[in-house]
Amino acid sequence: MATLHDRITAVHIRIDTATRAAQRPLGSVRLLCVSKTQPAEALRAAHAEGECDFGENYVQEALDKIASLADIRRHLTWHFIGPLQSNKSRLVAEAFDWVHSVDSLKLARRLSDQRPADLPPLQVCLQVNISAESSKHGLTPDEVPALAQAVAALPRLRLRGLMSIPAPGDTGAHARRARLLQPGMDTLSMGMSEDLEAAIAAGATWVRVGTAVFGPRTPEV
Ligand SMILES: *Cc1c(COP(=O)(O)O)cnc(C)c1O
């Protein structure tokens, strides 16, 4: 059976191979280890393999892990990547470094207001629903420019770019999203275990990889 070390090594080889194939600089695509449903000890083991960026989807589960890993907090960067209800924004503004799933001005304002003054600005991406599935969270492409402008003006947020989750089989989605980048954005959060090569070819700067790093998840809540 593949160990965590083997899986992480294999994911980095996939990322580097796709980065070279796209004629992009090595190191321009970073691995965000998606750790939802994984126990804190799995994250600790991934950190021992050199991983520092973890993506979480559920607020309470994430806060428990952040607390369990408090001794290595300064080495880690926590990314919130799931749907975020306004009533939980304060917890995220206080505990995380990045939020990839900002999809309204209301949520952005709350995060900016609630970001503690002693922390650096919260790094954020706008979540775009590029496959136009009514069931998915995210902005429509034509909502992006106005929200980007409004979010960029919020004092305690730093707008970095766009995130989305294409529908399975939507092969043009990555390229369509890349074309929505606004002036000043340097980040495209796209690509998961199954589609990271296509995402890198289209310009991804973060690939969000869960299964290929940690192995299959136990059923989600
Ligand atoms: C779970 C999840 C991922 C990782 O998916 P894998 O297929 O396990 O790599 C990436 N992004 C988001 C938003 C997720 O919820």
Side-chain angles (χ1 to χ4, degrees):
M1 214 182 93
T3 63
L4 181 66
H5 174 84
D6 298 338
R7 286 193 299 265
I8 288 175
T9 304
V11 169
H12 280 292
I13 291 170
R14 284 177 65 192
I15 291 171
D16 288 351
T17 304
T19 304
R20 270 200 207 87
Q23 299 185 319
R24 297 179 52 196
L26 276 186
S28 60
V29 183
R30 300 185 57 194
L31 172 59
L32 173 52
C33 297
V34 175
S35 43
K36 62 178 172 229
T37 81
Q38 303 296 337
E41 289 321 304
L43 284 70
R44 192 180 288 283
H47 178 250
E49 296 290 336
E51 300 306 324
C52 298
D53 288 277
F54 295 99
E56 290 281 341
N57 295 58
Y58 309 108
V59 175
Q60 192 52 53
E61 181 195 327
L63 294 178
D64 292 345
K65 283 181 233 182
I66 293 171
S68 299
L69 300 171
D71 58 312
I72 52 171
R73 177 67 182 91
R74 70 180 193 284
H75 302 295
L76 303 183
T77 302
W78 291 98
H79 302 245
F80 192 81
I81 64 171
L84 180 53
Q85 295 161 341
S86 296
N87 62 359
K88 296 193 176 154
S89 61
R90 179 179 300 279
L91 298 167
V92 170
E94 290 175 352
F96 280 79
D97 303 293
W98 284 70
V99 177
H100 291 227
S101 47
V102 172
D103 63 357
S104 72
L105 185 55
K106 179 186 173 202
L107 175 61
R109 283 199 178 116
R110 287 177 68 95
L111 290 168
S112 181
D113 290 346
Q114 293 166 344
R115 181 67 168 171
D118 60 333
L119 294 179
L122 188 62
Q123 312 289 304
V124 301
C125 294
L126 304 182
Q127 182 170 353
V128 192
N129 180 358
I130 202 76
S131 301
E133 291 168 285
S134 52
S135 62
K136 287 261 177 72
H137 298 263
L139 306 162
T140 63
D142 38 304
E143 291 171 320
V144 169
L147 188 61
Q149 213 179 7
V151 171
L154 293 173
R156 300 294 294 141
L157 302 187
R158 173 135 181 256
L159 178 62
R160 298 295 299 272
L162 302 175
M163 181 273 241
S164 75
I165 312 168
D170 184 353
T171 50
H174 296 310
R176 291 203 303 280
R177 182 164 52 260
R179 285 197 292 274
L180 290 171
L181 275 183
Q182 303 296 302
M185 290 182 173
D186 62 8
T187 298
L188 264 174
S189 166
M190 59 185 190
M192 313 198 287
S193 295
E194 293 293 324
D195 65 345
L196 68 87
E197 284 85 359
I200 290 169
T205 61
W206 283 113
V207 288
R208 305 182 311 268
V209 183
T211 314
V213 167
F214 292 107
R217 282 186 286 277
T218 46
E220 283 176 38
V221 280

